[in-house]
């Protein structure tokens, strides 16, 4: 692009005439801004090849050319405009003209678009991409499957500003790649009335996206997608495919092996759970205690823990009880506890979920003070630590982190045997890669529920879901075997 064209573009951005002035007297650049010497990189798709800079001469290092000044001003303007979404409310939308960059595409950028010389320098910025940096996250559901969690995106201008900041600190020239891959970083939605990303929240640290559950799909988005023309649907689905897949880095074989290993682990988790419950073959329940945990935190900073739910099942209590359909004969053997931190008991979530801390349905809530929460939880757990403990949760990794902040390291409990995640169990049962919310799983299993997002209730229903998945998978498997045998018998006649 010529200098005149750059000036014209900048004038459109600023909305006023722009003229060039002579560059200022040479001044010493900060060390962090000096170009870093790079070696030639052989990666053909490296968007950072232009950043493999040799050391400049002293004159060029101290003096900016007119075209560089234009770039500096445009970059400053872009950086300023990248962060103007703070007044948005959850669910609001930007216009059709706005470009979005999927989160998956952002985090895989170093593996695909940074060369060997610059990658070691830039990769640490991407590994801590949420730490100490402001992002405005938007979410997008697939209207063809409203049960799935949404996918995350940010305005493309914010990702460009992120690259600009890295370039300024390292003296390199990372950028969104040109050519066919450019569209992956600049997706547009809403054409022909199709769904557009909706605002989620402003993130300034690594915990800001610890959200459960995600906002549900907007019914209007489903209707607008259904009413769109076939061409608009095809275009939207092509963009959505890029949102879902992101960019696959080099070493695709390793990625597929990793996915296969995770799938095997989920299937083994399901089999182990069935074994603990005595559902496989002629086995009786094993001598274990299931301890299910659930934590609710306030949606507003500093996101304090407000509720802790625990549901405990001793397999000795169900040893002589037939499970019944979906395990419903075992439900009464679940012992539940609901702790509400007294200092936060007056707060209620309403932005992302409709909290109901007052609606514990399986006992009486207790109200320990914040300083006594750890002691109150351990008083519930310690009587069972002489037995083999199986830790249960739904998307349990986040609950484990919450317990860590309380000074309770669940995986270090005495006689801890295994952890079971009902979200992963459901993935194994349904042969899926995406996790489902607890409410969706309960509905699929036809388990009646109410007052979800109360930590005590959620812990109880998670154990019910564990029963249901374990039993239903066996029932379906046996039905398929029976059908197969009947088909073979018919063919042999």
């Amino acid at each position: 692009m010529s200098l005149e064209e750059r000036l014209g573009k900048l004038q459109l951005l600023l909305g006023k005439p722009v003229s060039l002035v002579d560059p200022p007297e040479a001044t010493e650049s900060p060390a962090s801004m000096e170009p870093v010497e790079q070696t030639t990189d052989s990666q053909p798709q490296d968007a950072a090849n232009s950043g493999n800079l040799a050391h400049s001469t002293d004159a060029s290092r101290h003096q900016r050319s007119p075209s560089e000044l234009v770039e500096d001003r445009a970059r400053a303007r872009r950086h300023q405009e990248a962060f103007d979404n703070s007044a948005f409310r959850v669910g609001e939308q930007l216009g059709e003209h706005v470009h979005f960059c999927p989160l998956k595409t952002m985090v895989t950028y170093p593996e695909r678009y940074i060369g060997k010389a610059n990658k070691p320098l830039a990769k640490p910025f991407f590994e801590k991409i949420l730490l100490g940096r402001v992002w405005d996250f938007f979410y997008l559901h697939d209207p063809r499957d409203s049960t799935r969690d949404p996918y995350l995106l940010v305005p493309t201008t914010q990702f460009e500003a992120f690259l600009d900041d890295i370039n300024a600190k390292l003296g390199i020239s990372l950028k969104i790649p040109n050519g066919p891959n450019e569209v992956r970083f600049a997706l547009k939605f809403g054409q022909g009335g199709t769904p557009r990303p909706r605002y989620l929240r402003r993130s300034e640290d690594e915990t800001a996206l610890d959200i459960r559950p995600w906002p549900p799909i907007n019914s209007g988005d489903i209707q607008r997608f259904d009413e769109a023309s076939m061409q608009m649907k095809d275009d939207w689905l092509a963009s959505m495919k890029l949102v879902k897949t992101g960019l696959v880095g080099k070493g695709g074989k390793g990625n597929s092996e990793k996915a296969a290993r995770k799938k095997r682990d989920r299937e083994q988790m399901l089999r182990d759970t069935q074994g603990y419950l005595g559902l496989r073959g002629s086995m009786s329940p094993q001598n274990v205690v299931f301890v299910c945990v659930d934590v609710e935190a306030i949606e507003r900073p500093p996101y304090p823990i407000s509720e802790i739910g625990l549901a405990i099942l001793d397999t000795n209590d169900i040893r002589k009880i037939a499970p019944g359909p979906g395990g419903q004969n075992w439900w009464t053997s679940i012992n539940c506890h609901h702790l509400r931190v007294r200092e936060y008991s007056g707060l209620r979530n309403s932005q992302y979920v409709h909290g109901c801390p007052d609606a514990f349905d399986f006992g009486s809530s207790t109200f320990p003070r914040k300083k006594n929460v750890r002691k109150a939880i351990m008083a519930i757990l310690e009587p069972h630590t002489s037995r083999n403990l199986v830790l249960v949760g739904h998307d349990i990794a986040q609950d484990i982190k919450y317990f860590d902040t309380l000074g309770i390291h669940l995986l270090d409990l005495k006689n801890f045997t295994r952890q079971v995640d009902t979200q992963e169990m459901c993935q194994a049962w349904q042969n899926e890669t995406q996790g489902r919310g607890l409410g969706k799983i309960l509905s699929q299993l036809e388990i009646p529920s109410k007052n979800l997002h109360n930590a005590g209730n959620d812990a109880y229903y998670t154990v019910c879901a564990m029963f249901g998945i374990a039993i239903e998978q066996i029932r379906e498997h046996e039905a398929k075997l029976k059908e197969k045998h009947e088909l073979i018998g018919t063919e042999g006649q």
Side-chain angles (χ1 to χ4, degrees):
M1 183 182 294
S2 68
L3 177 58
E4 290 75 11
E5 290 172 324
R6 292 177 186 270
L7 284 172
K9 186 175 181 180
L10 182 58
Q11 288 180 155
L12 288 175
L13 285 171
L14 298 177
K16 59 183 180 180
V18 175
S19 60
L20 296 178
V21 297
D22 292 334
E25 293 295 325
T27 57
E28 188 69 28
S29 299
S32 62
M33 296 290 287
E34 292 184 1
V36 178
E37 185 173 3
Q38 306 289 348
T39 57
T40 302
D41 203 313
S42 60
Q43 291 192 23
Q45 292 177 307
D46 185 2
N49 278 344
S50 58
N52 295 336
L53 305 175
H55 279 295
S56 305
T57 63
D58 288 343
S60 64
R61 192 178 297 170
H62 298 313
Q63 183 171 301
R64 308 288 287 169
S65 69
S67 61
E68 288 174 327
L69 289 173
V70 173
E71 285 288 348
D72 288 346
R73 292 166 183 158
R75 184 180 298 112
R77 179 70 174 180
R78 182 166 66 237
H79 197 282
Q80 180 181 358
E81 293 180 344
F83 301 96
D84 59 356
N85 305 305
S86 58
F88 266 53
R89 302 183 66 178
V90 175
E92 288 193 51
Q93 298 172 304
L94 294 177
E96 296 178 16
H97 64 284
V98 177
H99 292 86
F100 287 93
C101 182
L103 178 60
K104 285 187 176 182
T105 302
M106 290 164 50
V107 298
T108 55
Y109 179 93
E111 299 302 326
R112 186 65 175 170
Y113 293 106
I114 303 182
K116 295 178 182 178
N118 287 333
K119 187 185 297 184
L121 301 173
K123 194 170 182 179
F125 292 89
F126 289 85
E127 291 173 346
K128 297 182 179 180
I129 198 168
L130 297 180
L131 185 61
R133 185 172 187 86
V134 174
W135 297 98
D136 287 308
F137 279 100
F138 289 71
Y139 65 94
L140 184 65
H141 282 276
D142 186 341
R144 299 170 304 169
D145 191 350
S146 59
T147 65
R148 303 293 188 192
D149 289 339
Y151 298 87
L152 294 180
L153 312 93
V154 301
T156 299
T157 51
Q158 292 194 0
F159 184 62
E160 289 179 308
F162 175 61
L163 296 181
D164 285 343
D165 288 347
I166 296 175
N167 293 336
K169 291 178 180 178
L170 300 181
I172 59 178
S173 299
L174 303 180
K175 62 181 180 180
I176 289 177
N178 296 320
N181 286 315
E182 183 176 4
V183 67
R184 297 177 181 270
F185 295 84
L187 298 171
K188 293 175 69 174
F189 297 90
Q191 290 71 29
T194 51
R196 286 177 282 157
R198 294 179 176 274
Y199 187 68
L200 178 62
R201 75 187 317 175
R202 171 157 284 199
S203 164
E204 298 184 16
D205 58 54
E206 292 181 305
T207 64
L209 293 182
D210 295 339
I211 301 169
R212 289 186 309 161
W214 297 96
I217 190 170
N218 183 283
S219 58
D221 287 345
I222 299 176
Q223 180 179 349
R224 283 185 285 273
F225 180 81
D226 291 340
E227 294 174 350
S229 68
M230 187 60 66
Q231 181 61 52
M232 290 296 100
K233 286 182 180 178
D234 289 344
D235 291 346
W236 190 93
L237 291 173
S239 295
M240 190 61 175
K241 183 178 180 180
L242 296 178
V243 172
K244 292 181 178 182
T245 59
L247 295 176
V248 179
K250 293 187 175 181
K253 181 179 179 181
N255 290 334
S256 62
E257 290 177 351
K258 183 178 180 180
R261 183 170 62 253
K262 287 184 176 180
K263 183 175 185 292
R264 290 194 298 270
D265 290 344
R266 292 193 294 264
E267 292 170 347
Q268 186 62 51
M269 178 188 293
L270 177 54
R271 288 192 294 270
D272 288 349
T273 304
Q274 292 165 337
Y276 294 140
L277 294 171
L279 297 173
R280 299 187 68 83
S282 58
M283 296 173 56
S284 297
Q286 297 182 24
N287 185 24
V288 302
V289 175
F290 289 96
V291 176
C292 182
V293 297
D294 185 84
V295 175
E296 296 291 324
I298 299 301
E299 297 167 327
R300 298 180 297 278
Y303 312 109
I305 293 173
S306 58
E307 300 176 61
I308 301 96
L310 296 104
I312 297 174
L313 176 83
D314 187 334
T315 54
N316 287 335
D317 294 336
I318 62 171
R319 192 171 297 278
K320 297 181 180 180
I321 302 175
Q328 64 184 24
N329 292 348
W330 291 344
W331 294 351
T332 56
S333 298
I334 304 171
N335 295 311
C336 294
H337 304 267
H338 182 227
L339 291 74
R340 298 178 60 187
V341 181
R342 183 173 299 184
E343 288 86 340
Y344 307 117
S345 60
L347 302 179
R348 180 187 301 265
N349 287 332
S350 60
Q351 187 173 14
Y352 302 112
V353 299
H354 294 289
C356 50
D358 299 323
F360 179 46
D361 295 317
F362 304 101
S364 299
S365 302
T366 59
F367 294 81
R369 292 192 177 277
K370 182 179 178 180
K371 65 179 181 180
N372 297 325
V373 169
R374 182 185 184 280
K375 181 179 179 181
I377 294 173
M378 292 308 300
I380 297 170
L381 295 178
E382 284 177 346
H384 305 285
T385 55
S386 61
R387 306 272 298 285
N388 291 327
L389 298 181
V390 177
L391 185 63
V392 184
H394 189 82
D395 190 14
I396 194 173
Q398 186 55 49
D399 293 307
I400 291 173
K401 291 179 182 178
Y402 278 133
F403 268 77
D404 285 343
T405 67
L406 297 173
I408 300 175
H409 305 294
L410 293 171
L411 303 185
D412 294 333
L413 289 175
K414 181 182 177 182
N415 289 323
F416 166 77
T417 301
R418 203 198 202 297
Q419 72 181 56
V420 169
D421 191 323
T422 50
Q423 188 175 73
E424 294 186 17
M425 284 180 62
C426 184
Q427 289 174 258
W429 167 39
Q430 295 292 300
N431 193 26
E432 298 172 335
T433 57
Q434 294 292 325
R436 298 191 181 194
L438 178 60
K440 300 295 184 183
I441 294 175
L442 293 171
S443 178
Q444 185 173 4
L445 292 167
E446 298 183 352
I447 296 175
S449 64
K450 63 177 182 177
N451 296 324
L452 294 177
H453 312 308
N454 173 292
N457 295 343
D458 282 4
Y460 171 85
Y461 286 121
T462 297
V463 177
C464 294
M466 179 184 73
F467 293 158
I469 294 169
I471 292 169
E472 188 64 15
Q473 190 275 335
I474 291 175
R475 187 196 67 77
E476 291 180 356
H477 179 68
E478 291 177 346
K480 289 178 181 178
L481 287 178
K482 182 179 179 181
E483 182 180 355
K484 182 178 179 180
H485 291 155
E486 290 176 350
L487 180 61
I488 293 174
T490 302
E491 292 176 349
Q493 292 178 357

